[in-house]
Amino acid sequence: GYEITFSLLNPDPKSHTVDWDIEGAVNRFVKPVLDKLSLVANFSVDSQILYYAVLGVTPRYDKESSSFLLSAHSLPHVINPVEARLGSSAASLYPVLNFLLYVPERSHSPLYIQDKDGAPVSTNAFHSPRWGGIMVYNVEAPASPQASLPVHVDVDMARVMEVFLAQLRLLFGLSREEVPPEFLLESPGNEGLADWELDHLLWAHTVENIATVSTTLTSLAQLLDKIGNIVIKDDVASEVYRAVASVQSAVTELSLGHLLAAFQASKDAVTCSERAFFDPSLLHLLYFPDDQKFAIYIPLFLPMAVPILLSLAKIVRETRLRKKEPTKMD
């Protein structure tokens, strides 16, 4: 599963009052994509507004353009200070994909992002793999300096969601394909995801799941070989058998081109292999090698064994003396 969080960062609420129709935008732009991706994973979507949340990096002022610039090498330093304010990953059991809309404070407006070559980024946004993306949304300055503050801002959600959906595709490995001119690609349409792209995603996840199961079961077999006295319960063994059978079924379905069936089988295999590997009865701390057993029990039984051994030795000596004494004859 994945949790998708849309966050509006307003570091200067005294200067800007920002309104965004995030619920309508999610229903209009994001929901069709997630409905189609529901075959791959489960999704939950939430949103939040954070005030006085700054990027943590001071932009550079450019006199020629009378604007502030964020260079490409400073972008990695933006994520950590912002992530500390999000708080979404602390209470989540699944990976969180963050999409941040940042309205620059008045003293740093307008703010633009530069690429590695120093050219301005057309979308004024960037993304971080496995984390999410950030878009800078500049607000037009008031016509007169004496304009009343705060300035009311209505966010153009179509322009914002266009960027966020492109970043969502990149996070799932759905980049734009470069094809020869004579090739004709299916349009993703309003759903933002073509059928052939979904097939490619199912195939990639199926292969990844099969590799994960193979690694997990190999590690489990190495653990069992290393600890000879480990106890394998029937439920653990059944999970391993189910994982192997599901992997074989996934490989068969994949060779036949049944991508959805292969993906479901590979997902079941991952679940079974993880259950078997992380079963509490297979914790290596529950089982000791023989040398550790001797090291633990000898200090306990040695004080009791010494008097017993001395008593046995005394009994043996007395028995031998009795046998050597001649019998008396009347």
Side-chain angles (χ1 to χ4, degrees):
Y2 293 92
E3 291 195 11
I4 300 177
T5 301
F6 294 97
S7 303
L8 172 62
L9 274 61
N10 186 0
D12 193 7
K14 295 180 180 179
S15 302
H16 303 133
T17 300
V18 185
D19 287 337
W20 67 335
D21 184 16
I22 186 62
E23 184 176 358
V26 167
N27 292 330
R28 181 182 175 187
F29 299 102
V30 181
K31 192 174 183 299
V33 180
L34 298 185
D35 288 342
K36 205 163 187 178
L37 283 173
S38 61
L39 297 175
V40 179
N42 299 321
F43 296 94
S44 62
V45 182
D46 55 19
S47 64
Q48 60 182 344
I49 299 177
L50 300 177
Y51 296 100
Y52 301 102
V54 296
L55 294 181
V57 176
T58 303
R60 176 177 58 86
Y61 181 72
D62 184 36
K63 293 182 179 180
E64 295 181 1
S65 60
S66 298
S67 61
F68 293 85
L69 303 177
L70 276 176
S71 57
H73 71 272
S74 65
L75 296 180
H77 304 287
V78 171
I79 294 178
N80 285 342
V82 172
E83 191 175 23
R85 290 291 305 274
L86 296 179
S88 55
S89 59
S92 174
L93 298 177
Y94 300 107
V96 180
L97 301 179
N98 298 284
F99 296 97
L100 277 60
L101 182 65
Y102 180 75
V103 180
E105 49 194 324
R106 194 179 181 190
S107 59
H108 289 161
S109 294
L111 179 63
Y112 298 102
I113 298 176
Q114 289 181 323
D115 59 13
K116 295 181 180 179
D117 299 328
V121 178
S122 58
T123 59
N124 211 23
F126 71 97
H127 85 284
S128 177
R130 295 182 177 271
W131 184 83
I134 298 178
M135 179 181 180
V136 177
Y137 191 89
N138 287 310
V139 178
E140 294 184 2
S144 62
Q146 291 80 19
S148 60
L149 298 177
V151 177
H152 184 77
V153 180
D154 283 322
V155 178
D156 184 2
M157 296 306 297
R159 180 162 68 94
V160 172
M161 284 300 168
E162 182 182 16
V163 175
F164 284 162
L165 286 180
Q167 292 176 345
L168 182 64
R169 287 172 54 87
L170 289 175
L171 292 171
F172 275 91
L174 298 173
S175 58
R176 187 182 297 273
E177 299 290 339
E178 297 292 337
V179 296
E182 63 271 15
F183 278 65
L184 184 63
L185 289 182
E186 176 191 6
S187 173
N190 189 35
E191 295 173 339
L193 185 68
D195 291 338
W196 67 271
E197 291 178 320
L198 182 61
D199 290 343
H200 171 71
L201 199 62
L202 288 173
W203 178 85
H205 278 267
T206 302
V207 174
E208 182 181 359
N209 288 341
I210 292 175
T212 301
V213 173
S214 176
T215 303
T216 303
L217 293 182
T218 301
S219 301
L220 181 60
Q222 292 175 352
L223 175 67
L224 301 183
D225 291 338
K226 188 176 181 180
I227 304 176
N229 61 339
I230 197 168
V231 178
I232 303 176
K233 297 182 179 179
D234 293 338
D235 54 348
V236 176
S238 64
E239 294 289 350
V240 174
Y241 289 136
R242 285 181 55 190
V244 174
S246 298
V247 166
Q248 293 174 346
S249 175
V251 172
T252 302
E253 296 291 345
L254 202 60
S255 63
L256 296 175
H258 303 156
L259 297 178
L260 183 58
F263 174 71
Q264 294 293 342
S266 67
K267 194 163 63 171
D268 294 339
V270 170
T271 303
C272 294
S273 63
E274 294 292 329
R275 285 177 183 169
F277 187 80
F278 292 104
D279 191 270
S281 64
L282 296 183
L283 289 176
H284 67 280
L285 296 178
L286 299 178
Y287 306 95
F288 303 98
D290 293 335
D291 54 350
Q292 291 188 10
K293 290 182 179 179
F294 286 117
I296 291 174
Y297 292 118
I298 285 178
L300 296 177
F301 290 103
L302 190 58
M304 293 185 294
V306 170
I308 296 176
L309 293 177
L310 293 177
S311 301
L312 291 175
K314 184 179 180 180
I315 294 174
V316 171
R317 283 198 309 269
E318 293 178 352
T319 304
R320 289 178 177 177
L321 290 175
R322 288 176 182 174
K323 290 182 178 179
K324 291 179 180 180
E325 290 179 358
T327 57
K328 294 183 180 180
M329 299 296 292
D330 291 338

